[in-house]
Amino acid sequence: MRVPPRMGQTNATTWRGFVFLGFSGFGELQLLLFALFFSLYLVTLTSNVFIIVVIRLDSHLHTPMYLLLSFLSFSETCYTLGIIPKMLSSLVMGRQAISYEGCAAQMFFSASWACTNCFLLAAMGFDRYVAFCAPLHYASRMDPPFCARLVGTSFLSGYLFGLGMTLVIFHLPFCGSHEIQHFFCDTPPVLSLACGDTGPSELGILILSLLVLLVSFSFITISYVYILAAILRIPSTEGRKKAFSTCASHLTVVTIHYGCASFMYLRPKASYSLERDQLIAVTYTVVTPLLNPIVYSLRNRAVQTALRSAFRGRLLGAG
């Protein structure tokens, strides 16, 4: 890959790749942002990995719900690994080059893991539906083979949708400026560099995004309609509160995840602002993956108990 030319050079079209401008306009604030994002990234990686390890080691958490949570944490970890290291590098080094193939790969993996998260959240909603509406059949319906199929379907669907989104954009020719006003190869900023009529590609991205978000969110909504009906049939107020609390963690993560995704990918093109969207993207690439372990650690008693046991075990081992 050749050295990326500066904007305005006559041989710009001879280089096959892109340049992230990232946060290059923030000047002296870039090092401060690097320290902030690097700290959040370490906490995100540590928290998600810790959730996976705790669920794996604690036999009390060997249930379908926590199995799905561990795969969600794994998916979030892979999602951040494909984006944040490059972003941190651009904060320190400034302009960062990425090849055409590297950009396509980054878009594929980031879109795939994002879609996988949606389907895993839908699978977790179905798990809560079975637990509330068919508790006597929970063990037989949510047996290990079925859970494995749920996880496998979520990952396969995520990869297929991620591949579709990547092909919709990268079948287009790119010309003119190679500078991406972003810190990773997200669909809107890359699509803005394409030549010719991008209308069909924009429609394709909208349709794929709608399919992922609406299909998975519809499953979650239908599940919680039945769950709510089952909870309202509980005679005691204390029983209803306890039942609602078991769903609070999942509902919180769903609200944050789908809120960010809908805002970014279901808007009309006229509302795009690459500079503003870059800051908003920090929310779903840095903050949202961190909220998953935090929400489940703070709101879920079983996870809290397992975490305390793990810490006590480490302290006793160290002593």
Side-chain angles (χ1 to χ4, degrees), residues 216-290:
S216 58
F217 190 71
S218 295
F219 273 104
I220 295 172
T221 302
I222 293 170
S223 297
Y224 273 99
V225 167
Y226 283 101
I227 290 170
L228 180 61
I231 290 175
L232 292 177
R233 289 195 294 268
I234 299 175
S236 68
T237 303
E238 187 64 30
R240 287 196 294 270
K241 285 179 62 178
K242 185 176 180 181
F244 273 119
S245 67
T246 62
C247 300
S249 301
H250 181 247
L251 282 174
T252 303
V253 173
V254 165
T255 301
I256 296 169
H257 183 88
Y258 281 89
C260 291
S262 299
F263 180 80
M264 285 303 299
Y265 297 106
L266 300 184
R267 294 174 298 158
K269 182 181 178 182
S271 66
Y272 286 164
S273 169
L274 295 180
E275 292 79 9
R276 182 194 62 197
D277 289 354
Q278 180 179 246
L279 296 177
I280 296 172
V282 173
T283 303
Y284 63 85
T285 56
V286 180
V287 179
T288 302
L290 175 61

Side-chain angles (χ1 to χ4, degrees), residues 310-319:
F311 277 120
R312 280 199 300 269
R314 289 190 64 182
L315 290 174
L316 291 173

